[in-house]
Structures are given as structure tokens and as C-alpha cells.
Amino acid sequence: MENTKAKNIDFRTYLKSYPDKNGYFGQYGGAHLPPELIRPFEEVTEAYKTICHSAQFISELRRIRKQFQGRPTPVYHCNRLSKELGTTQIYLKREDLNHTGAHKLNHCMGEGLLAKYMGKKKLIAETGAGQHGVALATAAAYFGLECEIHMGEVDIVKQAPNVARMKVLGAEVVPVSHGLKTLKEAVDSAFEAYLKDYKDAIYCIGSVVGPHPFPMMVRDFQMVVGNEAREQFVEMTGYLPDAVVAAVGGGSNAMGMFPAFLNDPVDIYGVEPLGKGAKMGDHAASLTYGTKGVMHGFESIMLKDEKGEPAPVYSVASGLDYPSTGPEHAFLRETGRVNYDVIDDEEAIDAFFKLSKTEGIIPALESSHALAYAMKLAQKEDNPGFVLVNLSGRGDKDMDYVLEHYGDRL
Ligand SMILES: *Cc1c(COP(=O)(O)O)cnc(C)c1O
């Protein structure tokens, strides 16, 4: 294969070695930017590298996580669900209990604090389903920063409740009316706005994607999830889990969970959305069906159409329908250390109903993909003893959709 060296990685020193100083994880990552934006992103990198070692920054972020976000979130043993499935014991890292109901606030608060330390006045971002926009608007309100969220007009109509939330939180929602009026155009529009305003603003990416330093920085901010969960799990059971599972859209909740276990004898699984099936346009399983390429300022594995543009993607979970995945996932897959597999809409919906009924926890449809995979592992002949699932968010946001499309199952 093209990169046999990737197989001999020392995971004890992994976080020190990856990414390299240019933001590469093996052959993936980097900062593929128009010349005018190279300097602004370098400034963010430099500021982050200084600040992340500052005792004041670290203790301020700790205080915010505890007092504003409600961290640490618990690890929970699914007693009834595990019994129904057989012998495997399923545990959840309850990111659904994080303030705003999902893991996204972990990196948005970090990005907001960085903006504050850099003396910026405004946070700029795009959003597709609106989840990132809401989390960032929350961070902006907390820090007293302006917030400008670019969103395709089609998505504005589809995601009306999230648009309302952003406005209530004081953000300006900028409608994008060209092209397909969805995420891709919103990304372009947000980049343009940032270009005009980079002295006073910072561009905040919503996952472990985009140009360096974002895949690294968002991972670092999310790692609190895995670090907490590993300690909590060992304290609860006396053991490490046999397997760890997380859903992969852009890849941030998974990159939050995985690093804490890379150097352990633990199987690690990233779960991509297979949607309605393997046909192009019916899924968003970028690593499984994609090829190497560059988009949105970074190099990774991605789904492209005949023209080489980001392909249309679909998943029942709107937070997973992104045509690529963070460069670190492309790299970890190549190393063979992390396994990537798929779960389709039906399996995710089954898991959504199952967890709600047996445990009293309504999961986000994104998180339901990870849970469905854990349930599959539990039913295998050589099933693992303990499985830890990153329950990335709560399902309240999905209720209307589920009622409309799957209400007959009630
Ligand atoms: C956005 C979102 C995801 C997918 O994003 P990642 O960057 O892959 O984590 C998963 N779960 C929830 C609840 C989300 O809101």
C-alpha cells in the first residue's frame, strides 16, 4: 500500500507527533487556502500554540467546563439494554447531558476563549443543520462576542427552530442564496466574510475538519470527553472497556473519545452513516466510499461527483451528512489502529427507539449510529465484554422528524 510506514506508529507519543508542524497527519490535513487567508490561519495557529500552554487559559477553560457546561458528564451503565442483548455490557459517555445537549459546545467554548485571548470581537462560521451555529452562538453570548452564522436559504427553512435559537442567543444569521443554497455555499460565504474581517474576527470550524490548525485544535478541545470517560470507566468497573464506539460525521466527537484509548488494548470503532444504501447520494460514508482529495481547505478522503466537487450526501442524521471526514480519521484508518464501519438509517432508528424505551434516554440520531453499532457488536459470537459508546447528543431536536417519518412505530 501507499503508506506502510503508518503501520509502525508509537501510540505512546502519538499526540506529540501528530499533526506535524504543517498540520499533516501522514498524508492528510494541511492548510489549502487562498494566499490572502494563509496569514490569518497562521496567526490562529501561533496564538493557539502559545495559549494552550498558559496556566490561565487552562484554568479558565476548566472553570467554564465545570460551571457553565456541567462537566464532567457521567458514564452510565445500560443495565436493561445490556440484559436484553445478552452478555455484553454497554456503557454510555453522556455528552447529551452537556449544556445545549451535545458535545459541540466543548470546542465552541474553547474557540470562544481563544478569540477572547486574541482580542477578537466576532465569531464567524457556517452551519448546515444548525447545530454548530447554535453551539457557537451560545459561546459568543457567554463571552460577549458578536456572532455571524452563514447558512444556506434551503437550510434556513428546514432548520427553523435552530435559526430561532441562534437569533435568541443574539447571533446574526446570514442567508446564502446562490447555488444549491446549502452547506457548501455557506462555507464559501463564511470564508469571504472572514477574509474581509479577519483582523477583528475569528473563523470557527464546527468539527475536526478545515485548514490547520482546526483539526488539531478541535480535537484537543474535545479530548476532555475521552480523558474523563477512561478514568470514570476504570473507576466504575476496575477495567478498561474492550471496545470504544463513536459516530463519525466530520469526526469531532470521535476524535474526542479515541485518543485516550489509542495506546490501550482496546478496539476502537468509528461509525459512518450508510443512509439508504451504498449508492452515491444515498449515504455520507466518506471514508468507506470516498477517495483522496482537497475541499474546504484540507486534504482527506472525500465523496466527489464527476466534476470533482463535493458530492451530494444523505443521512437520517443531519449532523452526519458531510461529504468528507477530518484528516486524522483518514490517517488513523490507514494505520489500522481504528476500524471504520457503517450503520444505515433503519439500524440507527431501531437503536433510537430501543435506548429510549429500555433506558429512558432519547439519543440524537447521530449518536444512535454509534449505539446501533455497539448493539451489533453485542450480538456477535465473539462479542466484547464491555463496550463504551460516545452518546454525543440528545434526541429532542430529532423528535419532529422521527414522529413524521417513523410515527407508526409508536
Ligand atoms: C454534529 C453532531 C455529530 C457529528 O459531528 P462530529 O464532528 O462527527 O462529532 C454527532 N452527534 C451530534 C449529537 C451532533 O450534533
Side-chain angles (χ1 to χ4, degrees):
M1 284 285 294
E2 37 192 9
N3 200 346
T4 46
K5 240 177 60 199
K7 307 246 180 231
N8 310 314
I9 288 175
D10 185 349
F11 283 105
R12 286 171 305 183
T13 53
Y14 175 83
L15 287 170
K16 284 210 172 77
S17 315
Y18 297 95
D20 69 14
K21 66 178 185 354
N22 298 316
Y24 274 89
F25 302 87
Q27 52 178 330
Y28 306 106
H32 300 258
L33 289 162
E36 322 85 84
L37 277 177
I38 291 175
R39 195 55 212 141
F41 276 82
E42 279 173 359
E43 268 172 32
V44 177
T45 307
E46 283 157 19
Y48 176 66
K49 287 230 155 119
T50 312
I51 281 164
C52 74
H53 299 295
S54 134
Q56 202 191 351
F57 184 85
I58 293 168
S59 74
E60 181 62 5
L61 195 56
R62 272 205 193 125
R63 191 187 64 76
I64 290 168
R65 283 172 174 167
K66 186 170 174 193
Q67 297 174 4
F68 182 65
Q69 290 183 235
R71 303 205 68 90
T73 57
V75 165
Y76 169 74
H77 177 213
C78 295
N79 203 355
R80 291 199 339 113
L81 177 67
S82 303
K83 267 210 186 97
E84 274 195 32
L85 293 170
T87 54
T88 298
Q89 300 305 309
I90 295 188
Y91 290 75
L92 308 175
K93 176 59 171 166
R94 298 287 311 272
E95 286 306 292
D96 60 317
L97 294 178
N98 205 18
H99 177 46
T100 72
H103 70 289
K104 283 194 174 72
L105 202 63
N106 295 330
H107 62 252
C108 286
M109 294 310 287
E111 288 171 333
L113 189 60
L114 177 68
K116 198 87 188 166
Y117 272 67
M118 288 177 78
K120 306 286 184 189
K121 297 189 186 68
K122 191 197 271 188
L123 308 180
I124 297 178
E126 75 285 334
T127 194
Q131 297 301 110
H132 175 51
V134 171
L136 198 64
T138 303
Y142 176 92
F143 290 109
L145 296 164
E146 291 168 50
C147 185
E148 186 180 301
I149 304 292
H150 296 248
M151 195 168 181
E153 278 182 345
V154 169
D155 290 332
I156 288 182
V157 175
K158 266 208 239 166
Q159 311 291 345
N162 277 340
V163 175
R165 278 183 199 112
M166 286 182 251
K167 288 183 177 165
V168 166
L169 291 161
E172 184 194 348
V173 179
V174 180
V176 180
S177 57
H178 62 273
L180 293 173
K181 306 174 191 177
T182 58
L183 183 64
K184 181 185 173 304
E185 293 77 22
V187 173
D188 298 339
S189 171
F191 263 84
E192 265 168 50
Y194 180 48
L195 197 53
K196 283 191 204 120
D197 216 3
Y198 69 82
K199 288 218 162 58
D200 284 330
I202 181 168
Y203 181 58
C204 293
I205 293 175
S207 186
V208 286
V209 298
H212 180 62
F214 283 89
M216 168 184 74
M217 203 164 78
V218 170
R219 171 196 74 187
D220 292 355
F221 288 140
Q222 284 294 344
M223 268 174 20
V224 64
V225 175
N227 291 340
E228 281 177 11
R230 189 179 184 284
E231 197 181 312
Q232 291 165 316
F233 193 92
V234 171
E235 194 190 294
M236 280 170 87
T237 66
Y239 296 95
L240 284 168
D242 298 294
V244 167
V245 187
V248 177
S252 66
N253 84 86
M255 277 324 304
M257 191 58 129
F258 295 170
F261 299 95
L262 282 174
N263 194 41
D264 291 326
V266 173
D267 292 328
I268 305 178
Y269 298 92
V271 183
E272 296 198 298
L274 186 59
K276 291 183 252 184
K279 209 171 93 227
M280 184 69 106
D282 281 353
H283 64 81
S286 326
L287 288 174
T288 308
Y289 296 106
T291 50
K292 200 166 176 234
V294 174
M295 71 179 232
H296 300 165
F298 67 105
E299 188 157 9
S300 187
I301 304 284
M302 49 200 58
L303 297 165
K304 289 176 278 191
D305 64 14
E306 320 80 59
K307 285 187 247 148
E309 294 287 313
V313 284
Y314 163 83
S315 163
V316 68
S318 55
L320 300 180
D321 65 354
Y322 185 65
S324 183
T325 287
E328 194 165 9
H329 285 292
F331 175 65
L332 285 171
R333 174 166 166 267
E334 205 170 82
T335 67
R337 177 65 189 92
V338 178
N339 310 285
Y340 293 87
D341 208 338
V342 294
I343 281 291
D344 67 19
D345 282 1
E346 285 300 314
E347 294 169 311
I349 291 288
D350 284 346
F352 171 91
F353 281 115
K354 191 84 184 166
L355 188 71
S356 303
K357 264 202 180 130
T358 54
E359 299 290 348
I361 298 168
I362 302 179
L365 288 176
E366 292 81 4
S367 325
S368 300
H369 284 71
L371 185 70
Y373 198 77
M375 287 164 56
K376 245 187 182 173
L377 287 176
Q379 280 155 334
K380 280 171 58 169
E381 215 168 298
D382 56 343
N383 59 350
F386 291 124
V387 181
L388 174 63
V389 176
N390 192 359
L391 200 79
S392 53
R394 66 175 184 229
D396 307 47
K397 68 181 178 59
D398 299 312
M399 285 315 299
D400 288 346
Y401 184 90
V402 169
L403 263 186
E404 193 183 328
H405 294 86
Y406 301 93
D408 55 337
R409 300 202 188 180
L410 296 176

